[in-house]
Amino acid sequence: MCGIVGYIGYREAYPIVIKGLQRLEYRGYDSAGIALYDGTNIKLSKTKGKVSDLKNKLEDEISTSGSLGIGHTRWATHGVPNDVNSHPHYSNSGDLVIIHNGIIENYDALKKELSKRGYTFKSDTDTEVLINLIEDVKKNEDTKLGKAVQIALNQVVGAYAIAVFDKNKPNEIVVARLGSPLAIGIGEDEFFIASDASPFIEYTKNAIYLEDEEMAIIRRNKGVKVRKIKDDALVDPYMQELQLNLEQIEKGGFDHFMLKEIYEQPEAIRDTFRGRLLTNQAIIKMAGVEDNMKKFLAADRIIIVACGTSWHAGLVAEYIFEDLARIPVEVEYASEFRYRNPVITGNDIVIAISQSGETADTLAAIKLAKSKGAFVFGVCNVVGSSIARETNAGAYTHAGPEIGVASTKAFTTQITVLSLMALRLARAKGTITSSEFRHHLIELETIPAKVEEALKSDGYVQTIADIYKHATNFLYLGRGFNFPVALEGALKLKEISYIHAEGYPAAEMKHGPIALIDEQMPVVVIATKKGHYEKVVSNIQEIKSRKGKIIGIVTKGDKSVKELADHVIEVPETLECFSPLLTTIPLQLLSYHIAVMLDKNVDQPRNLAKSVTVE
Ligand code: G6P
């Protein structure tokens, strides 16, 4: 997955494209490039490294004038990250220029065919094959760029969001989408292209999101024409008014987006409640659930599909749904589910969880489930994203943009939405009494304030981070609702500090991980009151007798764990089912501070990307 940006209008394209690339670096950042066209010369520069490296290179190397520009920030799939493999790519004649996010799966066969016809390739990329295919079609069919792109894309297998321009057509950019997102910002006499709307938010609030298998020809001073790639049918595109604002995507005084997003959680959870959790009236209102209540009540089971942190939120939801609503739940990695030939019936409900709403495997899992007749409900953060549009119904998390690659507020707001759903269904099914229901609502409403209190442990967590920052392994243990939190805590540490960490259900420790424990091994144990507390205390004793270092996450006022652990971090008391919303906070902070102390790039950890639009 990569980020693409483009501009055509009356302003200088360079500052718009370069700033846009910086905003899209969450999508990949191993190389970057830009092509600018002033109607006479194309100026193209690209480099391995970040957008800041490109900026330095560019400003020394070439003039940056031109009111047509396209840019790319890359997360390598075909070909190692180096200058040559970076985008944009020229066609052999030097007339056509392309940027591409996605994978052309049949690139090898196409490349062989084009080679036979005399085409040569400088890079190892599938993208250079595509631009030469477009050139070949354009020559052979003696057609314009738009038509050539269309014919070429009909020969391609794979996924793409592309932007292409032709030296002979200085007033035109052609874009197309299949499987990778592409938004077109519509200004007055100017147009913007981007993988999401953040690059053009200060210029226009009007955007068209291309659907899969659609392409658009964007002409300076003329407008945008959208067509179906397959049958050439003209499409009347839906113009959306964007809700995003600039402040939401800037750091707001924090050193890193991740820290900002950790601290935004109380507000983000409140936003997730807004209009849904009506404690005074003792009701939960969720249109997507209400409108489909019959289906939910008739469901034999719920299958949750997701990846990464969203999968962990799904695991927490499994415990909550089964406990409160007594509906059997299975949680699947989307990437496994989609290739497993799973048994799915029309009585199954599939819940797809995704912050970005663009994760390729989750999207494919949804399509599979739908094809087998299941009703698919989406829990997404990004409004209008591919998953939000592909699902039959859904609920947004309303967490606001999450930029840090390590997911934080997306996780807690996903759990919040799923808790609301489970409670609403529990009430409808009668699996909890009205007084239990009311009690849960009252408690859920206190969570944002309790998250604020949990955030106060920040200073002490920093002290602990300083003590253990040079450890090479960490173990995270939890039980019940907090087992997935242990997995999530370990994932956070791995992602941003590159320290090896494993999450385990506390009782499983005896079946393997206990062999790892010695005086060098920090073990983070979630041991909040209720929920198998005594059992977890016994596990702590087992660690202690093997000289492991214990960092306990405990309920405020805890005594037993305090006596055994090397350190304890307190979180406020709450109902067991909501405890993940609090216990996860110190784990996010711990990984953040360790990574900062180790001088790692917290917001853009190596090899990772925020939005994984390739399988
Ligand atoms: C990537 C991100 C993770 C995220 C996962 C799933 O791996 O780095 O933070 O949890 O994708 O993404 P999604 O947008 O579907 O929640």
Side-chain angles (χ1 to χ4, degrees), residues 263-300:
Y263 272 87
E264 277 173 351
Q265 287 175 108
E267 211 39 46
I269 295 172
R270 277 188 199 108
D271 287 343
T272 308
F273 288 161
R274 193 151 296 134
R276 292 169 170 162
L277 178 64
L278 307 174
T279 310
N280 288 339
Q281 299 163 50
I283 49 175
I284 288 174
K285 261 198 194 163
M286 296 183 88
V289 177
E290 235 57 66
D291 295 348
N292 299 288
M293 190 54 94
K294 265 198 188 144
K295 286 200 177 74
F296 275 103
L297 295 182
D300 288 339

Side-chain angles (χ1 to χ4, degrees), residues 407-462:
S407 191
T408 51
K409 63 175 178 171
F411 180 64
T412 44
T413 52
Q414 284 164 347
I415 295 174
T416 304
V417 161
L418 293 157
S419 301
L420 289 168
M421 280 179 76
L423 280 164
R424 178 66 193 94
L425 294 176
R427 193 67 206 107
K429 288 186 73 180
T431 49
I432 56 175
T433 64
S434 62
S435 75
E436 281 168 338
F437 181 68
R438 186 181 280 269
H439 180 53
H440 278 76
L441 300 201
I442 292 169
E443 187 54 33
L444 197 50
E445 197 159 35
T446 68
I447 292 293
K450 290 184 176 174
V451 172
E452 263 153 31
E453 210 181 320
L455 284 165
K456 292 189 184 140
S457 66
D458 198 0
Y460 183 49
V461 174
Q462 269 188 64

Side-chain angles (χ1 to χ4, degrees), residues 307-310 353-357 359 362 405-407 414 495 609-610 612:
C307 302
T309 291
S310 298
I353 310 174
S354 174
Q355 186 286 127
S356 62
T359 301
T362 310
V405 167
S407 191
Q414 284 164 347
E495 282 181 311
K610 182 81 187 147
V612 181

